[in-house]
């Protein structure tokens, strides 16, 4: 079995993000970058599925040369090789990322294409579903369990109101939710091994993708800040304030 | 300019009230661009829902009622939505954000060749210059985006657009014969609902949320009598969901549900940015935490530094006294 999996780079999910005063983007000085946590879930799923079913895991990312560090982190988790498509993050929208990834799929022809449910910088939650439609493949998004049997993936999905199970015939597109697994930490030998794993660089032009955007971000600002209130000393005081001041009881 | 097709959401054959928030978005957007809107409903045995939506000012309510749509699956539903959009001449599609619309709408966008804006919180400008605001980075950044493609798809954050009230008049309700193709690529297997007698987390006016500090299922259960008393929904942090203390459906935050109740009471949770992203629009925020430095206090109207296992029973007692119950 061959699995293609995304390794998107994001700003450290726990970093305090600040907007540049001129509103053209975020302050990047001193920011650290990590693998998108949801991609880590997807990579863990890909690697453990291949450990069980044998085959190859190919990690793919879109971004400038500086995202290669995070692609190497995916290789250190056990992916066999990497592909980077060279275009700067700020020249992408979800649709272009999806059209690029659909082309990589066509070049690789995997049995399964695994994604993270959402990139925690842009918070769009679109790319997986867009890719599925562009490729006319079945999708199973927000997976908290994946079982491959008889040429299909049986997927437990985290949805409003409970848990849903659907089955999608391979090849299929699946996005990982947080409960899918606990991503492994790369061991030092695997980090060293990852440095020698093959890494291919492609361009949107070589893939034949038109880089025009459908959605452009024109301004960034800090949202209105909520002011902290007061500390109450006792439960009685809390109830009194809620009753008489906030009128919430 | 153009028609916006609002996709209604149903659950167990009944309309989800969250649909009304997307109607407000459609009214707002069409008001700014001089267009109109229509409502589409897809499912099986949902014909009655059409009538329920006839009083909101849509140019038409279109019902696709087919046993083949009894269970939601993304690909056939997306085909049906796009076929309906074409039929009614809609160039835009919108729905209130939920796991249903997040799963469905991007597929619709790809099929229509449309750009999609996720989690719209505001419409700014008007006419051809209309733009949309949406949160990024767990709500730490508010971005303004412009759709460049002639067609557009929107998921709408329900907490930022009020539920629409009826506007009088009666939209024509029409049945549309669109059926799913025979499809062996995907099948629905089952749904395991979280059964609860409490109000829906996304719609409740009071929410009591618990975090890791409550330790286990028995600890989390101290919130039950409080929620009973306040007719509140219960929610939780990722930590308690990951630990199996609360079901996934109750996760509040960046990657869970976004809520804005009248009163939010956070108990033994730290207030990580990912959690704040899902509740900081609440009207009144109360935090109970034994750590005076917990980040949740920085956005709370009322903070109580206390052990939850002591404070929650006391709080229940005080509210009982107040309510004379
Ligand atoms: C990709 C990603 C997505 C995420 N999405 C979400 C999300 O959608 N929602 C979400 O909530 N989190 C999310 N998280 C997790 C988030 O970062 C935090 O880890 C999580 O919110 C912490 O949960 P908590 O506050 O319950 O636990 P902790 O941070 O461990 O806090 C427990 C708190 O309880 C207090 N406490 C302990 N005992 C008591 C007591 N007896 N009485 C009173 N107080 C007590 C402690 O002082 C502490 O402040 C996400 C993380 C990542 C990386
Ligand atoms: N630049 C990128 N490189 C690789 N994968 C990406 C990229 N952008 C998005 N993805 C994938 O698409 C998923 C959803 O992203 P989004 O729609 O942006 O929230 C992510 O979790 C990744 O799996």
């Amino acid at each position: 079995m061959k699995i293609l999996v995304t390794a998107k780079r994001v700003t450290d999910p726990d970093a305090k993000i600040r907007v540049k005063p001129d509103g053209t983007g975020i302050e990047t000085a001193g920011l650290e970058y990590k693998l998108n946590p949801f991609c880590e879930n997807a990579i863990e799923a890909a690697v453990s599925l291949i450990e069980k079913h044998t085959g190859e895991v190919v990690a793919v990312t879109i971004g400038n040369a500086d995202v290669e560090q995070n692609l190497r982190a995916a290789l250190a988790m056990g992916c066999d090789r990497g592909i980077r498509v060279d275009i700067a993050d700020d020249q992408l929208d979800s649709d272009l990322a999806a059209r690029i990834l659909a082309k990589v799929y066509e070049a690789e022809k995997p049995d399964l294409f695994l994604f993270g449910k959402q990139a925690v910088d842009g918070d769009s939650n679109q790319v997986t579903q867009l890719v599925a439609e562009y490729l006319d493949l079945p999708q199973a998004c927000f997976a908290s369990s994946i079982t491959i049997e008889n040429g299909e993936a049986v997927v437990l999905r985290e949805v409003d109101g409970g848990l849903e199970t659907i089955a999608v015939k391979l090849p299929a597109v699946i996005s990982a939710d947080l409960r899918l697994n606990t991503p492994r930490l790369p061991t030092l030998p695997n980090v060293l091994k990852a440095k020698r794993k093959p890494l291919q660089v492609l361009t949107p032009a070589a893939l034949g993708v038109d880089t025009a955007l459908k959605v452009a971000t024109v301004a960034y600002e800090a949202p209105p800040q909520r002011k902290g209130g007061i500390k109450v000393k006792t439960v009685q005081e809390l109830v009194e304030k809620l009753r008489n001041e906030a009128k919430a009881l | 300019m153009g028609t916006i097709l609002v996709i209604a959401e149903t659950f167990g054959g009944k309309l989800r009230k969250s649909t009304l928030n997307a109607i407000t978005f459609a009214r707002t957007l069409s008001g700014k661009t001089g267009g109109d809107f229509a409502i589409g409903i897809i499912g099986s045995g949902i014909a009655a829902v059409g009538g329920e939506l006839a009083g909101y000012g849509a140019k038409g309510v279109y019902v696709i009622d087919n046993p083949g749509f009894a269970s939601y699956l993304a690909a056939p539903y997306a085909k049906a939505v796009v076929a309906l959009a074409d039929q009614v001449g809609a160039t835009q599609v919108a729905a209130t954000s939920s796991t249903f619309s997040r799963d469905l709408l991007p597929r619709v966008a790809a099929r229509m060749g449309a750009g999609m804006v996720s989690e719209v919180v505001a419409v700014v400008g008007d006419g051809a210059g209309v733009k949309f605001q949406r949160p990024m980075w767990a709500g730490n950044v508010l971005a303004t985006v412009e759709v460049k493609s002639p067609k557009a798809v929107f998921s709408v954050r329900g907490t930022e657009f009020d539920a629409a009230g009826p506007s009088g008049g009666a939209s024509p309700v029409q049945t549309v014969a669109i059926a799913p193709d025979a499809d062996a690529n995907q099948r629905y297997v089952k749904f395991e609902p979280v059964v609860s007698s409490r109000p829906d987390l996304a719609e409740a006016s009071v929410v009591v949320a618990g975090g890791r500090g409550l330790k286990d299922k028995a600890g989390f259960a101290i919130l039950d009598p409080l929620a009973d008393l306040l007719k509140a929904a219960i929610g939780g942090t990722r930590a308690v969901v990951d630990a199996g203390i609360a079901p996934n459906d109750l996760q509040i935050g960046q990657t869970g549900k976004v809520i804005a109740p009248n009163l939010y009471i956070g108990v033994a949770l730290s207030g990580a940015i990912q959690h704040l992203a899902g509740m900081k629009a609440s009207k009144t925020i109360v935090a109970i935490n034994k750590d005076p430095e917990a980040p949740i206090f920085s956005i709370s109207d009322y903070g109580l530094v206390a052990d939850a296992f002591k404070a929650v029973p006391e709080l229940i007692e005080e509210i009982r006294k107040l309510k004379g119950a």
Side-chain angles (χ1 to χ4, degrees):
Chain A
M1 188 162 72
K2 180 169 171 180
I3 302 178
L4 186 60
V5 63
T6 58
K8 181 179 163 33
R9 181 189 86 154
V10 295
T11 52
D12 177 356
D14 293 318
K16 177 97 191 82
I17 301 295
R18 264 179 285 269
V19 176
K20 281 188 193 159
D22 66 2
T24 55
I26 60 158
E27 296 280 12
T28 51
L31 261 191
E32 283 190 45
Y33 294 90
K34 300 256 164 85
L35 266 178
N36 180 31
F38 288 98
C39 287
E40 290 182 325
N41 292 110
I43 293 162
E44 175 62 39
V47 172
S48 50
L49 280 170
I50 290 302
E51 283 166 354
K52 188 160 168 215
H53 298 273
T54 72
E56 185 189 24
V57 184
V58 182
V60 58
T61 192
I62 311 173
N64 281 339
D66 48 4
V67 311
E68 273 183 18
Q69 194 190 339
N70 307 88
L71 185 55
R72 292 277 176 206
L75 301 181
M77 285 178 73
C79 300
D80 298 293
R81 60 188 169 87
I83 299 172
R84 175 173 70 85
V85 182
D86 188 49
I87 176 171
D89 213 42
D90 59 7
Q91 297 181 24
L92 290 168
D93 61 8
S94 300
D95 183 73
L96 176 53
R99 287 183 290 116
I100 289 172
L101 293 170
K103 287 289 185 191
V104 174
Y105 170 92
E106 280 167 355
E108 292 288 334
K109 292 263 178 289
D111 302 291
L112 201 57
F113 197 172
L114 281 172
F115 292 76
K117 142 168 130 170
Q118 142 182 2
V120 298
D121 48 5
D123 284 335
S124 293
N125 194 340
Q126 290 187 20
V127 172
T128 314
Q129 302 87 316
L130 291 167
V131 169
E133 182 64 32
Y134 280 129
L135 294 170
D136 197 18
L137 290 177
Q139 78 186 40
C141 293
F142 327 144
S144 69
S145 141
I146 304 170
T147 314
I148 307 282
E149 52 193 25
N150 309 321
E152 62 177 17
V154 180
V155 178
L156 193 63
R157 303 182 56 227
E158 292 198 357
V159 298
D160 293 340
L163 287 167
E164 182 184 273
T165 307
I166 64 171
V168 287
K169 215 165 132 194
L170 304 187
V173 171
I174 297 176
S175 79
D177 214 322
L178 295 168
R179 259 68 65 180
L180 182 56
N181 50 43
T182 307
R184 67 192 67 189
L185 293 170
T187 60
L188 188 59
N190 284 344
V191 171
L192 296 175
K193 234 163 83 187
K195 293 198 169 134
R196 295 187 303 273
K197 287 184 178 173
L199 198 156
Q200 185 186 2
V201 180
L202 300 171
T203 62
L207 289 167
V209 180
D210 171 4
T211 55
L213 301 184
K214 293 196 171 82
V215 176
T217 305
V218 294
Y220 299 80
E221 63 192 272
Q225 295 297 312
R226 196 178 172 113
K227 278 203 289 290
I230 58 158
K231 287 233 174 80
V232 291
K233 293 210 167 46
T234 61
V235 166
Q236 288 73 16
E237 188 188 350
L238 173 62
V239 170
E240 188 273 317
K241 296 274 188 210
L242 283 176
R243 174 77 167 195
N244 298 321
E245 203 174 78
K247 313 229 178 291
L249 283 182
Chain B
M1 230 188 42
T3 295
I4 307 161
L5 177 62
V6 173
I7 300 300
E9 182 169 347
T10 61
F11 185 70
K14 293 204 172 63
L15 181 70
R16 275 215 206 257
K17 273 199 292 187
S18 58
T19 302
L20 302 179
N21 305 77
I23 291 176
T24 297
F25 166 81
R27 283 181 183 164
T28 309
L29 179 56
S30 58
K32 281 167 170 278
T33 57
D36 54 16
F37 73 96
I39 300 173
I41 309 158
I42 304 175
S44 174
I46 41 86
V49 176
E52 265 182 78
L53 289 170
Y56 290 88
K59 77 164 181 183
V61 176
Y62 302 92
V63 182
I64 302 174
D65 191 357
N66 187 299
F69 290 121
S71 305
Y72 166 75
L73 285 164
Y77 263 60
K79 263 190 198 166
V81 170
V82 178
L84 180 60
D86 288 345
Q87 210 166 314
V88 304
T91 51
Q92 297 154 84
V93 173
T96 303
S97 185
S98 66
T99 55
F100 160 75
S101 63
R102 285 179 212 152
D103 193 56
L104 171 68
L105 291 181
R107 268 199 102 116
V108 169
R111 207 171 169 82
M112 289 173 73
M116 173 166 168
V117 188
S118 299
E119 306 282 327
V120 175
V121 296
V123 184
V124 293
D126 48 33
V130 74
K131 293 183 180 60
F132 304 90
Q133 290 193 309
R134 61 175 303 265
M136 293 171 79
W137 279 281
N140 288 305
V141 176
L142 187 62
T144 304
V145 305
E146 184 184 355
V147 182
K148 303 217 165 226
S149 48
K151 294 183 176 181
V153 172
F154 306 96
S155 72
V156 176
R157 191 163 269 194
T159 53
E160 305 297 323
F161 292 89
D162 293 338
S167 56
S171 316
V173 180
Q174 225 176 291
T175 308
V176 181
I178 293 174
D181 305 335
D183 181 354
N185 285 336
Q186 48 229 311
R187 64 194 170 82
Y188 175 86
V189 180
K190 64 173 180 196
F191 179 61
E192 297 152 73
V194 178
V195 192
S196 163
S197 53
R198 299 192 188 288
D200 188 71
L201 179 56
E203 289 165 12
S205 72
V206 182
V207 170
V208 178
R212 195 189 332 245
L214 294 174
K215 289 201 172 72
D216 50 24
K217 275 199 171 157
F220 199 75
I222 68 165
L223 303 181
D224 285 331
L226 181 59
D228 290 343
L229 199 57
L230 298 172
K231 297 191 173 50
I234 287 187
T237 62
R238 174 189 173 185
V240 296
V241 177
D242 282 5
I245 295 168
N248 62 283
D249 185 49
L250 298 192
Q251 180 179 315
I252 297 165
Q254 178 188 18
T255 58
K257 287 212 169 76
V258 177
I259 59 168
N262 191 40
L263 174 62
Y264 166 98
I265 304 178
V267 182
L269 51 83
S270 61
I273 50 173
Q274 293 89 355
H275 186 73
L276 302 188
M279 46 60 72
K280 66 181 174 192
S282 305
K283 187 147 176 277
T284 299
I285 298 177
V286 172
I288 301 174
N289 193 304
K290 67 178 183 189
D291 172 12
E293 303 300 323
I296 187 75
F297 287 129
S298 68
I299 62 144
S300 301
D301 299 288
Y302 305 108
L304 178 66
V305 181
D307 187 320
F309 293 104
K310 196 167 158 285
V312 171
E314 265 180 52
L315 182 58
I316 293 168
E317 197 45 47
E318 283 302 312
I319 297 174
R320 277 215 179 105
K321 273 195 230 157
L322 190 76
K323 301 208 162 177

